[in-house]
């Protein structure tokens, strides 16, 4: 996926301004983070071994 992401970023940089590309990238990161936090196993991590 990394080569595909780099290709898409290069195409976006050629089509849009730097500010627009950075805003879209920030939106993707925030969206991915929020979706990650929607998974119960991520936000309810418990220790399985005693200290």
């Amino acid at each position: 996926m990394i080569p595909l992401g780099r290709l898409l970023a290069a195409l976006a940089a050629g089509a849009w301004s730097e500010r627009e590309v950075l805003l879209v990238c920030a939106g993707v990161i925030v969206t991915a983070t929020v979706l990650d936090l929607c998974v119960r196993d991520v936000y309810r991590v418990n220790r399985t071994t005693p200290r």
Side-chain angles (χ1 to χ4, degrees):
M1 294 303 295
I2 292 173
L4 179 62
R6 288 185 179 178
L7 175 66
L8 290 175
L11 292 173
W16 300 328
S17 69
E18 290 177 8
R19 185 174 194 273
E20 290 172 333
V21 173
L22 289 174
L23 286 174
V24 168
C25 289
V28 168
I29 291 170
V30 168
T31 302
T33 302
V34 169
L35 289 175
D36 248 357
L37 292 175
C38 291
V39 177
R40 179 176 295 176
D41 291 336
V42 172
Y43 66 86
R44 290 191 180 177
V45 175
N46 295 323
R47 288 187 189 266
T48 57
T49 58
R51 286 186 167 197

